[in-house]
Amino acid sequence: AQTVTQSQPEMSVQEAETVTLSCTYDTSESDYYLFWYKQPPSRQMILVIRQEAYKQQNATENRFSVNFQKAAKSFSLKISDSQLGDAAMYFCAYRSRGNFGNEKLTFGTGTRLTIIP
Amino acid sequence: EAQVTQNPRYLITVTGKKLTVTCSQNMNHEYMSWYRQDPGLGLRQIYYSMNVEVTDKGDVPEGYKVSRKEKRNFPLILESPSPNQTSLYFCASSFGLGAYNEQFFGPGTRLTVL
């Protein structure tokens, strides 16, 4: 079974600075998807960014980018120019690509990000 | 507006009193799933459904039931709730079929079982 580990329960960053959230995963599969979700105080789960394992290029979405190291099974999220609205719980998640039945997302335990004005 | 809705958003109940949390999506999605979120554990899958009348267990199905009689609805049923089912519950849906499809999450239901 796959597991996802987020070793930083809490992080803080000064507004306008850059912060990196860590995520490692364990899998025997070669093809899969990785995601970062944001959960603000409203509790809504919001997809921030995704990465397909067969793509070597790191995904980027505006101020959000990932550092995907497949061999190391590492998938970190970098937030540039941090804004107050980025304050949230961030979850890393894994999904098998080959399973045509269950599209289960396996989540890490989350990192709570605080933005310091 | 494309969305997943859940009701109720908040519920406080007592041990043993049957309850149902409804989930509905308006995107004609094949795949639907229920997760529970607990502090320090992230989100864990309870049940999923690939289509109407097709459901299967996830990682933590004990104490829960589901049904999928219509494509848009996927209710979560707790026949005899217990305090260890106090949690935040999310319904999610996607087009399924194995390719990448973004999963859309509902707003969550905060359940407290006394």
Side-chain angles (χ1 to χ4, degrees), chain A residues 33 35 37 39 42-45 47 50 52 89 91 95 97 99-109, chain B residues 9-10 31 35 37 40 42-43 45 48 50 59 88 90 94 96-100 102-103 105-108:
Chain A
Y33 302 105
F35 306 87
Y37 280 87
Q39 187 180 48
S42 67
R43 305 195 313 240
Q44 182 70 49
M45 294 292 288
L47 179 63
R50 71 178 175 102
E52 294 163 85
M89 180 74 88
F91 290 98
R95 203 204 107 186
R97 183 184 172 95
N99 187 342
F100 286 82
N102 192 1
E103 298 192 352
K104 180 181 75 173
L105 292 165
T106 299
F107 286 87
T109 52
Chain B
R9 296 289 309 279
Y10 302 88
Y31 179 87
Y35 294 86
Q37 180 181 353
L43 284 79
Q45 190 186 53
Y48 69 97
M50 293 166 53
D59 293 326
L88 177 59
F90 286 98
S94 71
L97 305 179
Y100 171 73
E102 180 178 348
Q103 287 197 28
F105 283 82

Side-chain angles (χ1 to χ4, degrees), chain A residues 68-86:
Chain A
F68 173 49
Q69 301 289 328
K70 191 173 183 179
K73 296 180 182 174
S74 171
F75 183 60
S76 60
L77 174 69
K78 186 172 82 171
I79 306 174
S80 303
D81 184 26
S82 298
Q83 300 175 1
L84 294 177
D86 294 333

Side-chain angles (χ1 to χ4, degrees), chain A residues 102 104, chain B residues 31 33-35 44-49 55-62 66:
Chain A
N102 192 1
K104 180 181 75 173
Chain B
Y31 179 87
S33 182
W34 277 101
Y35 294 86
R44 295 174 293 165
Q45 190 186 53
I46 303 171
Y47 268 94
Y48 69 97
S49 170
T55 63
D56 206 349
K57 298 176 181 178
D59 293 326
V60 288
E62 293 76 22
V66 293

Side-chain angles (χ1 to χ4, degrees), chain B residues 9-80:
Chain B
R9 296 289 309 279
Y10 302 88
L11 180 60
I12 300 174
T13 189
V14 295
T15 298
K17 186 176 180 182
K18 181 179 179 180
L19 67 92
T20 299
V21 183
T22 65
C23 172
S24 183
Q25 49 90 8
N26 62 0
M27 295 167 279
N28 201 36
H29 284 167
E30 306 273 340
Y31 179 87
M32 298 185 75
S33 182
W34 277 101
Y35 294 86
R36 62 177 287 173
Q37 180 181 353
D38 301 290
L41 295 177
L43 284 79
R44 295 174 293 165
Q45 190 186 53
I46 303 171
Y47 268 94
Y48 69 97
S49 170
M50 293 166 53
N51 211 327
V52 176
E53 302 292 2
V54 181
T55 63
D56 206 349
K57 298 176 181 178
D59 293 326
V60 288
E62 293 76 22
Y64 304 95
K65 286 175 58 177
V66 293
S67 69
R68 189 91 181 272
K69 293 183 171 59
E70 303 168 285
K71 197 172 187 178
R72 64 183 292 131
N73 296 322
F74 190 45
L76 180 69
I77 304 156
L78 285 72
E79 295 263 351
S80 182

